[in-house]
Amino acid sequence: MMSAWALVMLIPATLKAQDTQKEAIDTTSVRRHHLQEVEVQRKLNRAMLLKQPFAVDAIDAGEYAAQNVNFNRLLDQAPGLRVRESGGFGSETAVSIHGISGRGIKFFLDGIPMDYMGGAFFINNFPVNVIDRVDIYKGVVPIALGGDALGGAINIVSRTEVEPYLNLSYALGSFGTHRASVSGRAQTKNGFVLQGNFFYNQSKNNYEVWGPGVEIPDEFGRPIEGFRAKRFNDDYTSYLGKVELGWTQRNWADKLLFGVNVSGLERGIQHGRTMAYVYGRARYEERGIMPTLQYSKANMWHGKLDVDVFGMYSNVDATTTDTSSNRFNWAGEALPSAVQGELSSIYSRKSIYHFYDRIHLWRAYSTLRLNEQSRLRLAWNGQWLGRRGKDDLNEAEWTIPLREPQQLNKNYIGLSYERDHGSFTHIVSAKGFYYDAESFAYSYQGNAQKQLIPLRENGLDWGMGYAGKYTVNESWMLKASAERSIRIPEGTELFGDGTTLLNAPGLKPEKSYNANLSSHWDWPLGATQKLQLVTALFFRDTRDLIWLGEADHLGTARYENLSRIQAKGFEINANYNWGSLLQLAVNYTLQDVRNRQRENSLAPYNARMKNMPVHLANAYLRLKSTGGWLPAERASFYLSTHYVHEYALFWPALGSPDQKNMIPTQFVQDMGISYRVSNPLTVALDCQNILDRQVYDNFMLQKPGRFLSVKLQYHINPK
């Protein structure tokens, strides 16, 4: 039997042969027509999503498919959202929505939690051209995204073409960066489908850094003025292959797919949680394999019931190697050291630490249509993580609590009722959370006898939520949502990451009261122009916030609970479209995050949160060719700008004003142009941080300067 991939390659040849017949088919116009259909469907899906009662934004990734745009950069344009990176390409990334940051923001891939998929699955690795849309929920999250998202959720929606296609892309950029991807789909007449994607990322990340933390002394022990260094142990490589096969559009299943994901990454560890602690030989590598099973069927039980089931088993093996006999400075010079190993500073010993994660994840989701106006939805999500570790050298104290078997069991169940009254739409939900965690604590206090202490935490809690929408008229819509939600600590927060994140046994779940209120205007301005304006207020009151703080080991950190944190603010987002020629978007967010714990607190009552920006703004402009000397839709140009006002690295209420460490104002511009040379081939040029600004993030960790890249994309769609 002919393979499905062979079928993909034969279809264009068949179409070419048909051109010789009397009634020839213009394949160029057919392809253009198909692309227009996909574009229209994408816009319809986005418009339907924005009409949900939830506080939700959507990014149409199709607009950026040809560009070499980093996925983090894409998210950073959304109002109320801030992407924070610890360095260059492949570095640790944290996302905050309305002041709630870190792992309180959950990531999903087609509705499946990404928490346990391994490092190669994280958002900054995904090429934009394999994504259809990005959904951003702020505050209340629908139960369909089964999980304990606290401050919001980001769902990456993969390409949804049902026709055969093959997409190839390759990008070359500054700092030794290479990105390649292959994705495709083929289907036979009996519904058998083969689809998959593969991507590969590599970067040296050898960009220049300077300023605080990047210092070397002269012969008199004073910092050398004007010193600049190139990062030298920050290279990064990752790959991910995903293949699915099965059946679609059959009487007994809309979708039955068996899949397997294979992933891996390797990177240098350049520094600790701040840039003051430089590492020259420490390395981290990870390998994973993940078989999956997915089944879905709509319109069961007299057309009233939809069912979607997903299961996976993940096997992730990781190794941290820290065997250097030297310290290093930012000049890359090895320095004599009496302490062996680089990680954990004064507690360092050489180590080759391995950890092995075995993960089970299962998800079931169903919708029951009670009548034309009412729906009942039920979701269940279970996750089990078992970790065991070993240290080949058995010398480093920091690995002692990580060598013991640890586990985390999480279960979530959600039930919602939706009622559509025409102008009014209401969604009421209830959520239940259960967890059981086993980990180990190890005392480092003074010269006292050190002891390994087993800890077990478990609990059951409930949350409630409401989301409502009122359509005033065709141009005006109001939304309101509120919830009490729970977030259970994740494996990385409890068990560490095997490098600069130490374990934090005994972390408590977060509890939060969230509320959103927004107004949406949509005004047509003539036949081809349209203006959209969204204004929103938000409020978050979080108990036991899980926050990444400084640990007792220099250069490392561990998660901790902050008793009570309150966030409030507003955002405004304006979008203007002039047909397909011009798209202009501007947004601004004010987020005021403060400590609201009066007693036994790390900071004064009502002190503004440390390491948290207050003012955020973005602007985006895109121009497309519409005909004339440049054919319609063939050329595209974009310009974007990102602004973050200066904010304090530590609690701003503490210390004298002249001694405060401030993260300076960030004002960065990006631009790019793409041109479709022919129907299959597109070429794009991009420049990020055009003015080569010095850009900081997190604990004043410096990000890359000017980044130039070129991308080639070849897309075959034989319809």
Side-chain angles (χ1 to χ4, degrees):
M1 184 179 69
M2 183 182 299
S3 72
W5 285 113
L7 179 64
V8 171
M9 304 309 296
L10 278 179
I11 291 177
T14 304
L15 290 175
K16 184 177 180 180
Q18 290 176 343
D19 283 341
T20 62
Q21 299 177 3
K22 181 179 289 188
E23 296 180 358
I25 298 176
D26 185 347
T27 57
T28 300
S29 62
V30 169
R31 286 181 183 136
R32 184 180 297 116
H33 179 67
H34 175 71
L35 291 174
Q36 290 173 346
E37 286 181 341
V38 172
E39 179 70 15
V40 169
Q41 185 61 48
R42 181 186 295 118
K43 290 182 178 180
L44 287 174
N45 291 340
R46 182 178 184 272
M48 292 176 63
L49 180 81
L50 296 179
K51 290 182 179 180
Q52 291 184 359
F54 304 100
V56 58
D57 282 325
I59 299 173
D60 183 358
E63 293 283 352
Y64 307 86
Q67 307 290 155
N68 186 31
V69 179
N70 190 299
F71 190 85
N72 292 345
R73 216 63 159 194
L74 201 65
L75 289 179
D76 230 357
Q77 295 176 181
L81 192 147
R82 171 69 172 157
V83 180
R84 314 179 73 172
E85 299 170 283
S86 61
F89 183 56
S91 64
E92 180 183 319
T93 299
V95 176
S96 68
I97 297 178
H98 293 165
I100 300 297
S101 63
R103 299 178 183 272
I105 310 302
K106 294 291 186 180
F107 287 87
F108 299 82
L109 178 61
D110 297 322
I112 308 304
M114 297 177 64
D115 314 22
Y116 299 100
M117 293 184 177
F121 274 89
F122 207 59
I123 58 171
N124 53 354
N125 291 337
F126 273 81
V128 176
N129 51 286
V130 304
I131 300 168
D132 181 66
R133 193 180 72 243
V134 183
D135 303 337
I136 303 170
Y137 290 90
K138 305 171 184 179
V140 182
V141 176
I143 68 164
L145 298 179
D148 53 341
L150 187 77
I154 297 174
N155 183 35
I156 301 170
V157 181
S158 301
R159 297 178 69 114
T160 55
E161 286 102 322
V162 296
E163 299 296 332
Y165 78 92
L166 183 64
N167 184 286
L168 312 172
S169 74
Y170 172 72
L172 174 65
S174 304
F175 318 125
T177 303
H178 303 264
R179 305 190 70 177
S181 71
V182 180
S183 63
R185 174 188 171 93
Q187 184 169 333
T188 62
K189 292 181 178 180
N190 67 353
F192 180 81
V193 63
L194 174 64
Q195 62 188 21
N197 58 61
F198 172 83
F199 61 77
Y200 175 84
N201 302 308
Q202 184 181 52
S203 181
K204 294 180 181 178
N205 281 324
N206 56 348
Y207 58 92
E208 279 194 341
V209 290
W210 65 96
V214 186
E215 300 163 344
I216 60 172
D218 60 17
E219 57 183 323
F220 302 105
R222 294 171 297 192
I224 298 176
E225 292 187 9
F227 174 74
R228 288 176 175 244
K230 280 192 174 183
R231 298 170 76 98
F232 56 92
N233 186 40
D234 200 27
D235 58 290
Y236 176 83
T237 302
S238 70
Y239 64 84
L240 170 66
K242 176 182 178 181
V243 177
E244 293 179 308
L245 56 88
W247 290 266
T248 62
Q249 301 174 346
R250 309 307 295 166
N251 293 333
W252 41 271
D254 294 335
K255 184 187 299 181
L256 176 62
L257 296 176
F258 303 89
V260 62
N261 301 321
V262 178
S263 64
L265 68 85
E266 183 176 351
R267 63 182 176 89
I269 305 172
Q270 180 66 90
H271 51 68
R273 308 311 297 185
T274 72
M275 295 182 69
Y277 306 97
V278 189
Y279 307 143
R281 294 289 183 268
R283 308 287 300 177
Y284 176 81
E285 61 179 305
E286 176 183 298
R287 301 290 181 268
I289 184 168
M290 185 178 73
T292 64
L293 172 65
Q294 184 175 5
Y295 172 82
S296 65
K297 183 72 175 75
N299 300 316
M300 301 170 63
W301 197 43
H302 309 292
K304 295 183 177 181
L305 181 65
D306 301 341
V307 174
D308 187 19
V309 180
F310 176 87
M312 78 160 199
Y313 170 76
S314 180
N315 187 333
V316 177
D317 298 348
T319 302
T320 300
T321 303
D322 180 24
T323 56
S324 175
S325 297
N326 301 103
R327 298 284 183 207
F328 290 82
N329 63 18
W330 273 110
E333 300 169 337
L335 306 176
S337 174
V339 180
Q340 299 297 296
E342 299 180 86
L343 303 179
S344 300
S345 189
I346 60 174
Y347 295 99
S348 287
R349 295 292 187 275
K350 292 185 177 182
S351 64
I352 304 176
Y353 172 68
H354 309 268
F355 71 82
Y356 310 93
D357 283 354
R358 303 298 178 260
I359 303 154
H360 305 271
L361 186 147
W362 48 95
R363 171 185 177 270
Y365 176 65
S366 63
T367 299
L368 177 63
R369 287 176 288 278
L370 303 176
N371 51 50
E372 292 185 359
Q373 292 80 32
S374 303
R375 291 176 175 82
L376 193 65
R377 305 183 193 273
L378 178 66
W380 174 51
N381 187 316
Q383 301 172 22
W384 179 86
L385 164 64
R387 173 176 291 188
R388 58 185 179 88
K390 70 171 185 176
D391 187 344
D392 291 346
L393 303 182
N394 291 323
E395 295 180 2
E397 287 188 346
W398 70 270
T399 69
I400 290 176
L402 308 181
R403 300 173 201 168
E404 302 296 327
Q406 304 174 89
Q407 68 173 7
L408 173 63
N409 183 22
K410 299 166 60 173
N411 277 274
Y412 156 87
I413 188 169
L415 177 67
S416 73
Y417 174 75
E418 178 179 338
R419 177 74 177 180
D420 187 353
H421 297 277
S423 297
F424 284 97
T425 301
H426 304 281
I427 299 177
V428 180
S429 61
K431 303 177 181 181
F433 307 89
Y434 170 79
Y435 77 103
D436 186 2
E438 297 180 11
S439 56
F440 289 83
Y442 188 70
S443 172
Y444 295 100
Q445 303 301 319
N447 296 319
Q449 181 67 38
K450 297 181 177 63
Q451 185 178 8
L452 190 64
I453 305 170
L455 296 176
R456 182 169 184 175
E457 298 280 344
N458 55 51
L460 174 66
D461 213 328
W462 296 89
M464 298 290 293
Y466 168 82
K469 178 189 72 173
Y470 175 58
T471 304
V472 181
N473 52 48
E474 293 182 356
S475 301
W476 187 17
M477 179 173 59
L478 300 173
K479 292 184 181 182
S481 58
E483 71 171 348
R484 177 190 187 269
S485 191
I486 315 296
R487 186 175 82 83
I488 300 167
E490 292 183 11
T492 300
E493 293 169 324
L494 285 171
F495 309 147
D497 68 351
T499 58
T500 58
L501 274 182
L502 303 179
N503 70 325
L507 274 180
K508 302 175 183 177
E510 294 178 340
K511 300 180 176 68
S512 185
Y513 295 90
N514 305 323
N516 291 79
L517 180 65
S518 61
S519 180
H520 304 248
W521 289 275
D522 192 341
W523 293 298
L525 304 174
T528 60
Q529 301 178 64
K530 183 169 64 174
L531 176 64
Q532 295 174 311
L533 181 66
V534 179
T535 58
L537 301 173
F538 59 86
F539 174 81
R540 309 278 184 268
D541 190 351
T542 306
R543 311 297 176 97
D544 294 320
L545 175 75
I546 299 175
W547 176 264
L548 182 61
E550 289 299 299
D552 50 4
H553 288 205
L554 300 177
T556 62
R558 61 160 48 95
Y559 284 92
E560 60 188 25
N561 289 112
L562 297 180
S563 298
R564 186 181 180 187
I565 297 295
Q566 195 174 92
K568 56 186 176 181
F570 71 91
E571 66 180 44
I572 182 168
N573 181 30
N575 287 274
Y576 171 76
N577 289 273
W578 186 359
S580 60
L581 170 65
L582 172 66
Q583 178 186 356
L584 176 64
V586 181
N587 62 68
Y588 166 76
T589 302
L590 183 147
Q591 53 186 30
D592 188 15
V593 186
R594 295 180 180 270
N595 172 50
R596 301 294 287 180
Q597 181 67 22
R598 292 184 181 274
E599 299 176 356
N600 301 320
S601 176
L602 298 175
Y605 174 74
N606 208 38
R608 182 162 281 163
M609 187 68 176
K610 64 178 180 178
N611 199 30
M612 177 66 67
V614 179
H615 304 280
L616 312 171
N618 300 283
Y620 176 80
L621 170 70
R622 178 178 288 274
L623 295 169
K624 289 184 179 180
S625 59
T626 57
W629 62 279
L630 279 178
E633 303 289 327
R634 180 160 285 190
S636 176
F637 167 82
Y638 80 89
L639 175 67
S640 65
T641 185
H642 312 270
Y643 176 85
V644 180
H645 194 68
E646 68 171 6
Y647 56 100
L649 176 60
F650 302 109
W651 292 101
L654 300 178
S656 59
D658 59 339
Q659 294 181 339
K660 293 186 186 297
N661 289 314
M662 302 297 293
I663 297 178
T665 294
Q666 318 288 307
F667 188 44
V668 179
Q669 292 75 39
D670 304 334
M671 64 178 288
I673 186 169
S674 65
Y675 184 76
R676 194 171 71 247
V677 179
S678 62
N679 279 316
L681 179 63
T682 302
V683 180
L685 300 174
D686 291 88
C687 180
Q688 297 177 14
N689 195 353
I690 301 170
L691 302 179
D692 198 24
R693 303 284 191 187
Q694 188 178 29
V695 184
Y696 292 103
D697 222 338
N698 282 340
F699 292 108
M700 219 163 189
L701 302 177
Q702 195 171 151
K703 299 195 290 187
R706 184 184 297 116
F707 181 90
L708 300 171
S709 67
V710 58
K711 178 180 177 180
L712 303 177
Q713 181 175 243
Y714 193 84
H715 186 88
I716 303 172
N717 195 311
K719 181 176 178 180

